[in-house]
Amino acid sequence: EPEVTQTPSHQVTQMGQEVILRCVPISNHLYFYWYRQILGQKVEFLVSFYNNEISEKSEIFDDQFSVERPDGSNFTLKIRSTKLEDSAMYFCASSRGQGENSPLHFGNGTRLTVT
Amino acid sequence: SQQGEEDPQALSIQEGENATMNCSYKTSINNLQWYRQNSGRGLVHLILIRSNEREKHSGRLRVTLDTSKKSSSLLITASRAADTASYFCATSRGSYIPTFGRGTSLIVHP
């Protein structure tokens, strides 16, 4: 069964550095998402992306964050000038469409540790 | 906020018993979904119930929705050790983007 894949599985970075988290969504999916989960907390929506542009974003997704689909397969999340509180699991997800017949398919996440 | 809040936060049962998890939310919704997350893995979609539905079944899963109380429940019957995971409810409104709660951590002892 097709999967969403994320790399790396674990990223350690120093405060103030930039990180890029990578995702390969399922190939025939059109909608892409990033969520994050701080340890023990809820899974928080960051951003959705469709037709090469952001379709919706949350309050968390400020100027520190950006997303890109640099080619036909990858979907990236860039975090500039990382802070300690950015430490979390970051999940990429994709869906065929947007609606009741298109559940999200999640990758296994990238654990980001900011030291 | 529309997001669901699951209750209890943690649940520990013996194999063969039923597990019931609840979800409450605050605003009107289009649908409510339940997802499962094994330790260290991504979320996996289990079942969706529309706002005009009251009950739905899928295998050993039974989901109910009470829009007047803004609550839902997930029942797993005849639980197995492999059901050990975190379970999240997710609500959707106009954009259909699911908003998740904190989850219920279920441990099923063999």
Side-chain angles (χ1 to χ4, degrees):
Chain A
E1 185 172 325
E3 293 183 333
V4 175
T5 56
Q6 291 186 244
T7 55
S9 57
H10 193 182
Q11 174 89 48
V12 181
T13 189
Q14 287 192 326
M15 202 165 48
Q17 297 295 306
E18 174 182 286
V19 294
I20 296 176
L21 310 183
R22 301 180 192 280
C23 169
V24 179
I26 294 173
S27 62
N28 64 348
H29 285 189
L30 300 177
Y31 290 81
F32 315 119
Y33 311 83
W34 284 101
Y35 284 80
R36 78 174 184 190
Q37 184 181 31
I38 296 170
L39 186 64
Q41 304 295 314
K42 59 184 183 287
V43 178
E44 300 175 295
F45 168 71
L46 294 179
V47 67
S48 62
F49 192 86
Y50 169 71
N51 200 24
N52 284 321
E53 61 183 27
I54 291 173
S55 53
E56 194 163 331
K57 61 182 181 179
S58 71
E59 295 167 352
I60 303 168
F61 194 87
D62 59 19
D63 292 344
Q64 188 194 2
F65 296 88
S66 61
V67 289
E68 193 178 32
R69 188 153 164 83
D71 53 44
S73 60
N74 290 285
F75 178 51
T76 62
L77 174 68
K78 182 187 290 185
I79 309 175
R80 286 179 282 276
S81 189
T82 50
K83 300 175 281 202
L84 294 177
E85 53 265 39
D86 294 327
S87 294
M89 282 289 285
Y90 287 80
F91 291 103
C92 173
S94 68
S95 63
R96 257 199 322 264
Q98 206 167 47
E100 295 175 346
N101 296 321
S102 296
L104 271 61
H105 296 252
F106 283 80
N108 286 331
T110 293
R111 179 172 299 283
L112 175 65
T113 302
V114 182
T115 61
Chain B
S1 164
Q2 74 182 69
Q3 72 195 40
E5 292 294 337
E6 296 87 347
D7 171 63
Q9 288 190 341
L11 183 59
S12 181
I13 60 174
Q14 294 295 127
E15 207 165 29
E17 293 179 342
N18 294 342
T20 299
M21 289 157 269
N22 302 298
C23 171
S24 59
Y25 57 92
K26 293 192 173 132
T27 63
S28 62
I29 58 172
N30 291 328
N31 61 65
L32 186 144
Q33 304 173 61
W34 285 90
Y35 282 77
R36 165 193 168 127
Q37 182 185 34
N38 284 24
S39 180
R41 306 296 294 268
L43 285 81
V44 175
H45 181 258
L46 295 176
I47 194 167
L48 178 148
I49 186 165
R50 296 183 176 84
S51 59
N52 61 354
E53 296 177 314
R54 292 297 165 258
E55 188 170 311
K56 204 158 180 183
H57 297 253
S58 176
R60 291 184 296 114
L61 304 181
R62 173 177 166 250
V63 171
T64 62
L65 179 64
D66 186 336
T67 52
S68 66
K69 294 181 180 175
K70 292 187 170 56
S71 68
S72 173
S73 68
L74 171 68
L75 168 68
I76 304 174
T77 59
S79 63
R80 305 166 182 167
D83 294 328
T84 294
S86 291
Y87 292 82
F88 293 84
C89 70
T91 54
S92 298
R93 292 185 73 187
S95 67
Y96 289 101
I97 294 175
T99 303
F100 293 87
R102 294 174 188 265
T104 291
S105 174
L106 172 66
I107 298 175
V108 181
H109 299 278

